Amino acid sequence: MVEVKLFASLRAFAGEKQFATEAATVKELLQQAAERYGAEFAARLKIATVLVNGKNIAHLQWKKTRLKDGDVVSIFPPLAGG
């Protein structure tokens, strides 16, 4: 089982702070989350930062990153500020 943690506004849209999945890749996980939480949540996922075990998927294999039992995926909305 893969643990998925949601942060900030994504947590508010989902109405929960985490869920579990058996997705095999990040792409599959994001598709499941979009179906689970709806269109507005899905739109935010397109610009979210995704970490697998603390590593940004940009430094792994992007959405093709394989997931295994015990992995922790953290999803953050885009950050802004000044």
Side-chain angles (χ1 to χ4, degrees), residues 2-72:
V2 175
E3 180 181 359
V4 183
K5 296 182 178 185
L6 305 172
F7 292 88
S9 62
L10 291 176
R11 183 179 286 182
F13 275 97
E16 58 187 358
K17 58 183 175 180
Q18 64 187 36
F19 67 94
T21 182
E22 292 187 13
T25 64
V26 170
K27 181 179 180 178
E28 186 180 332
L29 181 152
L30 295 175
Q31 288 172 337
Q32 288 177 4
E35 290 171 8
R36 182 177 182 139
Y37 300 120
E40 194 166 344
F41 186 89
R44 291 174 181 269
L45 283 180
K46 292 179 183 179
I47 54 175
T49 298
V50 180
L51 307 179
V52 176
N53 299 323
K55 294 181 183 175
N56 193 313
I57 62 169
H59 302 291
L60 300 171
Q61 295 178 339
W62 290 96
K63 291 182 181 178
K64 293 180 182 179
T65 301
R66 307 268 322 147
L67 301 172
K68 62 185 182 320
D69 190 40
D71 282 347
V72 177

